Amino acid sequence: MIPVKFDYLAPTSVEEALSALGEHGDEAKILAGGQSLLPVLRMRLNAPEVVIDLGGISSLRGIRDDGDAIVIGAMTTHHDVRDHELVKEHVLLISKAAAEVADSQIRHRGTFGGALAHADPAGDLGAPALALGAQFVIAGAGGTRTVEADDFFVDLFETAIGDDEILTEVRIPKHTGWGAHYEKFVRVAHQWPIVAVAATVKGSIDEAKIGLTNMGSTPLRARATEAALAGASATEDGVRAAAEQAAEGTNPPSDLNGAADYRQHLARVLTGRAVLKAAGV
Amino acid sequence: MTATQDRPAAEIGKDRRRKEDQRLITGRTRWTDNITLPGMLHLAMVRSPFAHANITSIDTEAAKASPNVVAVLSGKDFGEELGACINAWPITPDQKTPAHSPMPADRVAFAGEIVAVVVARTAAEARDAAELVDVEYDELPAVVGIKNALKDEVLAHPDLGTNKSALWVFDSGEAGTGTDAEAAITEARANGIVIEREYRQQRLIPAFMEPRSVVVDPTSEQMTMWSATQIPHILRFALAATTGVPESKIRVIAPDVGGGFGGKLQATPEEWIAWAVARRLAKPVKYTETRSESLMAAHHGRDQVQTLTLAADKDGKVTGLKVHLDADLGSYVAIVGGGVPVLGAFMFNAIYKFPAYRFECQTVLTNTTFTDAYRGAGRPEATYAIERLMDELAAEVGVDPLEIRERNWITHEEFPFTTVAGLEYDTGNYEAATAKAKASFGYDELRREQAERRERGDRVQLGIGVSTFTEMCGLAPSRVLGSLDYGAGGWESASVRLTPLGKVEVVTGASAHGQGHETAFSQIVADRLGVPFEDVEVLHGDTQVAPKGLDTYGSRSLVVGGEALVKAVDKVIDKAKVLAAHLLEANADDLDYADGRFTVRGTDQGKAIQELATATFAGHDYPEGMELSLDADATYDPVNFNYPHGTHLCAMEVDTETGAVKMRKYTCCDDIGTIINPLIVAGQVHGGLVQGIAQALWEEAVHDEAGTLVSGSFVDYLLPTSADTISFDVVHTDEPSICTTNTLGTKGVGEAGTIASTPAVVNAVVDAVRHLGVNDVQMPCTPERVWRAIHANDGDAPTPADAMPHFQEGSLNQDEGAGA
Ligand SMILES: Cc1cc2nc3c(=O)[nH]c(=O)nc-3n(C[C@H](O)[C@H](O)[C@H](O)COP(=O)(O)OP(=O)(O)OC[C@H]3O[C@@H](n4cnc5c(N)ncnc54)[C@H](O)[C@@H]3O)c2cc1C
């Protein structure tokens, strides 16, 4: 498992990283935690000439309170995201999902921004970010722009981040006091989800936000279920009935872990369970 | 001379921590890939992406021009010196065996087959240049899957004219070991019960931790091969036999090897190519596979379709069993090849007194990775089939699955017992193992809970699975192997040497690759010779150090190699006695030997074995006619297999809504005769259980229709970790059934857990949902399969497509192709 030879750059500021990106264009690849990029390189599925490591840019790491939102730096590891008090208090769903990413070693290396930029439809962080209405701060040569979650995820492994841009941070509107649960369905512990459901609810139930993982080429919202739940009381039967609509509009893959119809069945069952747990029922 | 047997065993039975672990865990060893020799070159393989294709041209110019490339060689650049990958066990005289070149020049027969090798100064440069080798293929239709192969429409090897390699038959009526199975089935159709099932043994990948690696040094008088192999001795033999180098010019070393599970019981194309390249270039070379290459091109295991007919009377007493296996050899008949399913032939009757038995095994060739031994090799498949069938019979009769077994098993008074397959089981006590397992498991309570959950219609149902297994291990009596046309014997060799200062060097022909032989063998020698455990050094795995041996597989090392060791120690004691008598001026008959010391009976006069070793080294005073050495060699050829057995009980929870399964409890009571080191046994049992459970629940190697391995990384080939397993309840019978065919009374344990556990788990899954109309779930019991079985009316599960390529950027392939 030897990657093709590449040059390695370790900028210490976003500006420096952007100018390196500008210079090398699509010959360059950004390296965050490397947990997705390195396997790609080692299996020679991609062969960039230059790898630009963001690891030395301290401003990209960390979590802060920004009034109505919690801001997570792109280079913050899954481990740090999971355990951070601000995350647990205001965007609990993110903490719950980060706890379910891969295993401990990978959580200590893999980053929040890297996972979202990688945009694997089976990645655990897209659905909660989508459900919570995250805003993605993207830096480019012309300055920074902010992209709404609904516009960020474009397709399989494809986001709104341009080739010459860097995701610097993600702003997640506070959902203080909302219950949350991430229901991940796997066959072995260290696996990507076959299907997962990210649910967060206010009260029981004033409002519900539900994101689906691996039910299409991007993370999806279970809008029909959300609508059916709003203002409903959190009874087992009621929630399960609302969850029957969770697979509407989804287009999941068929693979060794399950055919599309089975995944849709799972989405319905898991949505019911996730909402009930989020609501503390 | 067995005076030592009387002294209490200080070491045997002791939970010694493994002496090899410190060096293995701290890296104070050199794995094959760590070996670096002066001037060593590195190899990278160019592999076919197609499962079946003619090679029309290979352009190596660009690769040769790549930096620091020394040579690029393809099949046509080699002559006979390349040798051949051998099949050591043609199971029938008319077996169709395709020629298996390590690097074919004309046609590839599986995706991953090597078509060229690049030699460069670094591994990275070799890999870069390998990408530049331009191979043109003319794709041929590929045959994938047993049922397709049997049709003989598309041929894996068109020149053979058929995909059918061999048909091997055993019939107890014809062999005189029992009656006619067909007649029993006919009778049962009229007046009894007939259970007919087809079970699928999915293809598995041994997935050892250390990938295969080989270093060849051609620069001294003996050419040396280091290989991450289980079988250094067999490799030396096969290299000599196929490459024209005399055996005396070959040294093979298996240094510390990181696991094998049968997967390193092979004479591999990679080893043969490294050998040929080193000879050609007269330089040391190294090749280490990547994990992707390992999954694709190291041999796979299992892969059978089992068609089974069990006949019984109305009380569930079995009257006959008919087994038809179709076994996928893959693209070539590998070293043991069709012998693997044939090893199962003797085990389908398991612990039971079946009067009639017929076994047929049809091996087929396909354009997939070749298959061979994987932990248990033939016996897990047999055990699975019969233990699943016994549960089905119990359901049919309407009794507890343990009850149906008791109605059929050999009782402990009936040993020795000659089975319908012609084997003589020396000892066993199925009643005792079952009673102990039941108590430890809490069988009755769990059955009660199961009934309650059914009653309530719980979403999560509970199932209890039983597996009362036995197996034949300790491979193997050489004459028996001869009668089966196996190409080698089954003996093992040992030497015991005393150093001048009284330390003990033990040489064994077994070749440990994670088993803990150094510890267990030291315990045996420490007790028998009466020396400190720490003073014993076990040497193995190098044909210069251990010139004779048949290596490690088939749970043979302790029961065959250990017995050779016992015999060598006894010879040392016999020799030492002559010297002791001389030095003590006593009659040899008046000497006792205990705790490493000869004493003259009735006196305080004595000589320690260490003193005798020093006296032999000095040679100043010894009896006339004595050869001046205490060292001894012994070779032991077993007189029988041995037959460990056990009762395994498994409780599984099944979420009927999602099909997810979860293990609740696993108890096993194994009877393996005398236990040398309980800690090592526990390790073998735990690891074995996990591999068997993994077949039941997680692992499956899948090729698509084109013959591409879909489960080509650990993202898709699901290996469990400790996070996926529970803490097992491992117990043993209070009074083990001591093996009567070796001195120590031991039975093999290396494969027991794997052989026993798979049916216990699947039986538990099926038992949990049997009341919902389920009587089978295909392995691995994925949540989807379990869910579909529960909702069987929805029709068959669609064939799975490719898995999500988490590491692949851009284009996706999950909609292409269909899994086999
Ligand atoms: C064995 C294994 C199991 C895993 N299991 C799971 C799982 O269960 N669930 C899950 O969600 N994930 C899983 N992952 C993936 C893990 O979460 C990764 O950490 C994550 O997908 C990528 O994050 P990273 O920081 O490692 O990014 P990298 O691998 O460094 O980068 C990933 C991609 O994003 C780009 N990129 C990274 N950062 C930026 C940025 N700031 N701006 C623009 N582009 C950027 C890179 O160029 C690259 O293309 C697993 C990984 C492994 C190796």
Side-chain angles (χ1 to χ4, degrees):
Chain A
M1 294 283 229
I2 303 168
V4 174
K5 208 166 175 178
F6 54 79
D7 282 338
Y8 172 82
L9 299 178
T12 52
S13 69
V14 173
E15 295 68 39
E16 217 185 302
L18 285 172
S19 79
L21 258 187
E23 186 184 335
H24 298 285
D26 50 6
E27 303 301 349
K29 227 24 189 144
I30 285 174
L31 174 69
Q35 298 305 292
S36 294
L37 184 63
L38 289 191
V40 166
L41 299 188
R42 287 160 68 93
M43 291 197 258
R44 296 190 170 219
L45 297 168
N46 197 327
E49 284 172 15
V50 181
V51 168
I52 302 170
D53 184 356
L54 303 185
I57 308 177
S58 51
S59 66
L60 292 179
R61 195 167 287 129
I63 295 169
R64 64 175 201 277
D65 189 332
D66 191 29
D68 58 351
I70 295 300
V71 180
I72 301 178
M75 289 296 289
T76 315
T77 63
H78 302 313
H79 172 83
D80 290 348
V81 169
R82 179 191 73 178
D83 288 348
H84 204 282
E85 283 309 322
L86 287 174
V87 174
K88 286 199 256 185
E89 191 179 342
H90 302 293
V91 285
L92 181 61
L93 184 59
I94 296 290
S95 169
K96 297 259 183 178
E100 296 294 325
V101 172
D103 56 34
S104 178
Q105 286 101 316
I106 290 163
R107 288 194 294 270
H108 273 86
R109 289 228 163 241
T111 67
F112 192 64
L116 291 166
H118 189 55
D120 184 336
D124 286 306
L125 296 165
L130 180 71
L132 292 170
Q135 297 173 319
F136 295 80
V137 182
I138 298 170
T144 59
R145 61 193 180 103
T146 300
V147 176
E148 298 294 329
D150 284 336
D151 304 321
F152 180 76
F153 298 103
V154 177
D155 206 340
L156 295 159
F157 302 108
E158 198 184 328
T159 67
I161 308 170
D163 276 349
D164 51 358
E165 291 182 315
I166 293 172
L167 174 67
T168 55
E169 57 190 30
V170 182
R171 296 171 52 85
I172 307 172
K174 283 185 181 169
H175 286 67
T176 316
W178 287 51
H181 185 76
Y182 189 68
E183 183 80 15
K184 178 170 174 172
F185 192 81
V186 287
R187 290 176 56 205
V188 294
H190 58 277
Q191 208 185 0
W192 275 269
I194 297 170
V195 173
V197 177
T200 191
V201 300
K202 188 175 167 192
S204 76
I205 295 173
D206 304 331
E207 198 181 346
K209 296 182 177 177
I210 300 164
L212 305 175
T213 305
N214 215 12
M215 288 299 292
S217 56
T218 63
L220 298 173
R221 287 283 282 271
R223 299 264 186 209
T225 301
E226 289 178 358
L229 287 170
S233 69
T235 63
E236 165 128 18
D237 288 348
V239 169
R240 285 176 160 261
E244 279 303 309
Q245 302 172 58
E248 275 176 24
T250 60
N251 183 22
S254 282
D255 62 32
L256 292 180
N257 289 314
D261 67 324
Y262 174 64
R263 280 193 158 91
Q264 291 187 321
H265 166 76
L266 281 181
R268 291 187 281 266
V269 174
L270 302 178
T271 296
R273 293 183 184 181
V275 170
L276 286 168
K277 283 187 191 147
V281 178
Chain B
M1 159 76 232
T2 50
T4 46
Q5 278 176 340
D6 302 324
R7 49 185 288 279
E11 285 293 339
I12 290 179
K14 191 167 173 178
D15 265 339
R16 275 274 181 198
R17 290 216 194 155
R18 305 200 318 175
K19 54 159 81 170
E20 45 275 78
D21 282 350
Q22 198 190 16
R23 118 176 146 254
L24 295 176
I25 291 168
T26 59
R28 199 162 45 76
T29 182
R30 220 172 267 125
W31 310 95
T32 303
D33 188 50
N34 300 131
I35 293 167
T36 298
L37 301 173
M40 187 174 77
L41 302 173
H42 297 261
L43 309 186
M45 304 299 172
V46 179
R47 294 177 185 274
S48 168
F50 300 113
H52 198 191
N54 284 321
I55 302 165
T56 50
S57 70
I58 300 185
D59 180 351
T60 60
E61 288 315 307
K64 280 181 177 150
S66 192
N68 281 323
V69 168
V70 176
V72 183
L73 300 162
S74 67
K76 65 178 171 21
D77 296 317
F78 289 100
E80 292 199 335
E81 82 279 11
L82 187 56
C85 297
I86 56 165
N87 168 236
W89 192 350
I91 56 172
T92 61
D94 62 351
Q95 171 179 290
K96 296 249 183 332
T97 312
H100 187 187
S101 167
M103 185 155 59
D106 51 350
R107 186 176 59 92
V108 291
F110 74 98
E113 184 151 31
I114 299 165
V115 296
V117 57
V118 174
V119 191
R121 299 211 184 279
T122 66
E125 287 160 334
R127 187 72 256 156
D128 285 343
E131 312 253 300
L132 301 174
V133 175
D134 189 6
V135 187
E136 282 193 21
Y137 298 92
D138 189 3
E139 227 187 315
L140 298 168
V143 57
V144 178
I146 291 169
K147 296 201 169 170
N148 289 333
L150 285 168
K151 288 185 212 152
D152 263 348
E153 285 163 6
V154 176
L155 298 183
H157 295 277
D159 52 314
L160 294 180
T162 176
N163 294 319
K164 296 184 181 126
S165 176
L167 176 68
W168 193 94
V169 178
F170 173 86
D171 189 290
S172 66
E174 287 159 23
T177 54
T179 51
D180 181 23
E182 289 293 355
I185 292 165
T186 308
E187 163 64 19
R189 279 196 208 286
N191 299 312
I193 298 168
V194 177
I195 311 258
E196 293 175 288
R197 292 285 186 278
E198 180 183 293
Y199 293 138
R200 173 100 175 91
Q201 293 287 329
Q202 78 269 35
R203 188 177 269 247
L204 300 174
I205 301 181
F208 29 75
M209 191 174 285
E210 180 204 17
R212 297 172 307 159
S213 180
V214 56
V215 170
V216 178
D217 182 4
T219 63
S220 61
E221 204 42 47
Q222 272 195 325
M223 274 183 71
T224 304
M225 173 184 282
W226 288 262
S227 183
T229 182
Q230 293 174 229
I231 51 164
H233 297 93
I234 294 173
L235 278 190
R236 179 162 100 141
F237 168 86
L239 282 170
T242 69
T243 71
V245 180
E247 252 172 314
S248 53
K249 297 288 183 191
I250 303 175
R251 176 184 185 188
V252 177
I253 303 174
D256 277 325
V257 174
F261 311 116
K264 290 175 181 164
L265 196 189
Q266 195 59 260
T268 69
E270 291 82 358
E271 287 162 330
W272 261 239
I273 291 169
W275 183 254
V277 171
R279 287 177 74 196
R280 168 73 59 97
L281 302 177
K283 293 243 182 188
V285 302
K286 173 154 78 185
Y287 170 74
T288 301
E289 68 183 355
T290 64
R291 182 62 70 183
S292 307
E293 287 179 294
S294 190
L295 294 176
M296 181 168 58
H299 77 240
H300 293 174
R302 311 276 197 272
D303 210 342
Q304 299 179 358
V305 174
Q306 309 175 311
T307 309
L308 307 157
T309 314
L310 185 76
D313 67 18
K314 291 216 166 70
D315 297 328
K317 197 143 173 45
V318 176
T319 53
L321 173 66
K322 192 173 102 177
V323 174
H324 179 90
L325 297 187
D326 294 300
D328 191 346
L329 298 169
S331 45
Y332 298 101
V333 193
I335 193 162
V336 183
V340 170
V342 167
L343 268 179
F346 306 95
M347 279 293 119
F348 279 87
N349 51 295
I351 64 169
Y352 308 111
K353 295 181 282 190
F354 297 167
Y357 173 50
R358 181 177 170 87
F359 172 93
E360 304 161 356
C361 171
Q362 174 69 61
T363 56
V364 298
L365 293 153
T366 59
N367 295 113
T368 57
T369 309
F370 47 88
T371 62
D372 209 310
Y374 173 53
R375 202 169 187 173
R379 293 152 289 159
E381 299 92 313
T383 304
Y384 180 83
I386 189 59
E387 291 304 296
R388 286 283 298 109
L389 286 178
M390 292 308 272
D391 262 37
E392 295 303 300
L393 179 61
E396 191 69 33
V397 177
V399 297
D400 187 279
L402 283 171
E403 167 66 27
I404 209 77
R405 286 167 172 81
E406 199 173 335
R407 288 183 194 177
N408 286 285
W409 71 35
I410 304 158
T411 64
H412 70 277
E413 302 95 347
E414 292 173 296
F415 289 92
F417 184 90
T418 302
T419 73
V420 73
L423 295 178
E424 189 189 275
Y425 295 177
D426 58 342
T427 55
N429 190 337
Y430 309 138
E431 300 96 315
T434 301
K436 180 128 185 193
K438 266 181 92 170
S440 190
F441 185 67
Y443 190 81
D444 297 333
E445 269 160 67
L446 284 163
R447 281 277 179 225
R448 250 195 312 278
E449 181 184 333
Q450 175 183 38
E452 285 161 14
R453 287 195 191 204
R454 278 193 188 178
E455 186 69 23
R456 285 196 304 264
D458 279 6
R459 202 159 71 201
V460 177
Q461 289 290 322
L462 183 67
I464 295 170
V466 172
S467 169
T468 49
F469 87 106
T470 189
E471 59 138 334
M472 55 189 274
C473 65
L475 304 185
S478 297
R479 292 193 193 93
V480 174
L481 292 179
S483 72
L484 292 169
D485 298 317
Y486 182 67
W491 48 266
E492 196 44 88
S493 148
S495 305
V496 174
R497 306 197 290 243
L498 293 173
T499 65
L501 295 175
K503 305 291 182 195
V504 185
E505 285 178 343
V506 170
V507 177
T508 173
S511 191
H513 43 282
Q515 287 83 353
H517 293 170
E518 291 170 34
T519 304
F521 287 10
S522 295
Q523 289 177 271
I524 293 170
V525 173
D527 265 4
R528 203 158 182 91
L529 195 57
V531 298
F533 171 82
E534 293 74 17
D535 284 359
V536 185
E537 203 61 43
V538 179
L539 308 174
H540 61 87
D542 177 345
T543 60
Q544 236 175 43
V545 173
K548 284 188 5 172
L550 281 169
D551 308 320
T552 288
Y553 42 84
S555 304
R556 69 186 304 275
S557 299
L558 173 63
V559 292
V560 186
E563 184 66 9
L565 189 51
V566 163
K567 295 204 173 328
V569 169
D570 288 354
K571 285 188 188 174
V572 168
I573 297 170
D574 282 347
K575 285 181 160 186
K577 190 174 197 175
V578 175
L579 180 61
H582 173 79
L583 294 177
L584 292 164
E585 296 177 1
N587 189 322
D589 293 342
D590 294 333
L591 296 185
D592 287 332
Y593 188 66
D595 293 328
R597 197 175 166 80
F598 287 100
T599 48
V600 185
R601 214 166 297 130
T603 75
D604 58 358
Q605 298 261 303
K607 283 278 177 209
I609 190 80
Q610 291 86 352
E611 292 176 85
L612 296 169
T614 309
T616 308
F617 172 69
H620 298 167
D621 184 10
Y622 63 99
E624 214 52 54
M626 176 192 164
E627 186 188 351
L628 201 50
S629 164
L630 301 181
D631 301 348
D633 300 335
T635 299
Y636 174 66
D637 191 25
V639 295
N640 193 352
F641 298 94
N642 63 80
Y643 307 96
H645 70 85
T647 296
H648 288 225
L649 299 171
C650 172
M652 297 292 294
E653 292 181 345
V654 176
D655 181 337
T656 55
E657 227 175 12
T658 61
V661 300
K662 194 171 149 211
M663 191 171 287
R664 163 87 171 269
K665 176 135 200 187
Y666 196 102
T667 296
C668 59
C669 180
D670 286 317
D671 184 343
I672 54 167
T674 307
I675 294 178
I676 305 297
N677 181 325
L679 195 60
I680 291 180
V681 165
Q684 290 291 318
V685 172
H686 280 245
L689 290 177
V690 174
Q691 280 181 312
I693 294 166
Q695 173 172 15
L697 299 181
W698 298 301
E699 296 183 28
E700 179 167 29
V702 179
H703 289 92
D704 66 14
E705 279 168 354
T708 307
L709 182 67
V710 176
S711 47
S713 83
F714 286 150
V715 173
D716 299 309
Y717 189 82
L718 292 190
L719 285 186
T721 66
S722 53
D724 302 299
T725 49
I726 61 169
S727 192
F728 304 123
D729 176 27
V730 175
V731 297
H732 300 283
T733 46
D734 302 323
E735 286 174 42
S737 315
I738 302 299
C739 179
T740 59
T741 54
N742 63 48
T743 309
L744 297 170
T746 57
K747 301 183 181 182
V749 74
E751 297 159 300
T754 311
I755 293 169
S757 57
T758 311
V761 175
V762 178
N763 278 339
V765 170
V766 172
D767 186 53
V769 291
R770 193 182 283 282
H771 65 293
L772 302 175
V774 176
N775 70 16
D776 192 29
V777 179
Q778 192 184 313
M779 293 191 290
C781 300
T782 64
E784 181 178 23
R785 285 188 178 140
V786 174
W787 178 75
R788 287 198 197 280
I790 295 170
H791 302 272
N793 303 340
D794 311 358
D796 280 343
T799 3
D802 287 6
M804 286 288 286
H806 297 273
F807 296 129
Q808 188 159 328
E809 302 211 310
S811 77
L812 280 182
N813 60 355
Q814 86 255 33
D815 292 323
E816 287 166 21

